[in-house]
Amino acid sequence: RIEAARCPDVVVAQIDPRKLRKKQTVNIAISGCQPAPEGYSPTLKWQQQQVANFSAVRQSLNKHRSHWRSQHLDSNVTMPKSEDEEGWKKFCLGERIYSEIDAISDNENLGIDYIKVGFPPLLSIVSRMNQATVTSVLEYLISWFGEKKFTPELGRWLYALLACLEKPLLPEAHSLIRQLARRCSEVRVLEENKNEEQISALNLIICLVSRYFDQRDLADEPS
């Protein structure tokens, strides 16, 4: 109390404005998604159907999770540790995409080399992932997608991870899926060849984020 009594009522900080000018940063938050290219905006009926299908997938996954978790993984499946970002990118996308190697047609008799093409999100795999791992892998793949092109392998894993996300969303998951939807909207605008199948996949992810996970400000306006 004696020390407090000796302090002045008002204290003025000595700030050098020249230092502030050098270190100023501006963060701008983009609230919505970019609209779909003309002629490719999904209808409301289509969006509602996708949400219904997705909801059914989630219910089935939750119902049979313990069964699939108990199934033995194939001998060639080694799931990376949760914190192994590079390991998960290779596991999900395959060495070929991860290393950006041109596709090489393998002898069909040799079967599929999952190390090269990536492991699909099998129920026996995703059922073993807890929420921390699901969120981490989602973050790794979204980070990858931020600089790379969209691929079917990436799309399958994003769908599966969204199906595994528990509601209510954790704050980090909430931020991640919004980032994902915005990135999808950017990529479909930049899609030069207007690949209908790819745009449909991007529309689907935006639809699930916005309408199933209640991020309505990101939703596509019905065509």
Side-chain angles (χ1 to χ4, degrees), residues 39-169:
Y40 290 91
S41 183
T43 64
L44 180 59
K45 183 178 179 180
W46 182 88
Q47 294 183 64
Q48 291 171 337
Q49 185 60 56
Q50 301 314 312
V51 169
N53 294 344
F54 183 69
S55 180
V57 167
R58 284 173 61 91
Q59 289 175 19
S60 178
L61 177 60
N62 289 330
K63 183 178 180 181
H64 301 290
R65 186 184 298 275
S66 19
H67 165 75
W68 286 108
R69 190 185 291 133
S70 66
Q71 300 301 301
H72 292 293
L73 294 174
D74 290 343
S75 58
N76 64 332
V77 181
T78 303
M79 293 174 63
K81 293 182 178 179
S82 180
E83 66 275 10
D84 183 4
E85 179 172 354
E86 303 309 309
W88 273 108
K89 287 176 182 176
K90 292 178 183 177
F91 184 86
C92 299
L93 305 173
E95 289 279 5
R96 181 172 58 78
I97 291 178
Y98 178 82
S99 304
E100 297 183 302
I101 300 171
D102 291 335
I104 301 172
S105 58
D106 294 328
N107 189 326
E108 292 182 3
N109 296 327
L110 298 177
I112 299 173
D113 185 347
Y114 287 111
I115 302 299
K116 287 184 180 178
V117 301
F119 289 92
L122 303 172
L123 288 171
S124 55
I125 293 176
V126 297
S127 294
R128 284 175 161 79
M129 300 168 68
N130 59 28
Q131 282 301 288
T133 303
V134 169
T135 304
S136 293
V137 178
L138 192 58
E139 180 179 3
Y140 302 152
L141 295 183
I142 292 172
S143 172
W144 167 271
F145 186 32
E147 299 176 354
K148 307 290 184 179
K149 62 183 181 181
F150 185 84
T151 66
E153 293 84 358
L154 177 63
R156 284 193 289 268
W157 267 99
L158 291 174
Y159 186 95
L161 292 170
L162 289 176
C164 293
L165 273 183
E166 294 178 359
K167 296 175 76 173
L169 294 175

Side-chain angles (χ1 to χ4, degrees), residues 33 38 41 45 87-88 110 138 155 175 177-178 192 194 203:
C33 285
E38 188 174 352
S41 183
K45 183 178 179 180
W88 273 108
L110 298 177
L138 192 58
S175 175
I177 65 170
R178 289 183 64 83
E192 294 178 358
K194 294 295 180 282
N203 285 350

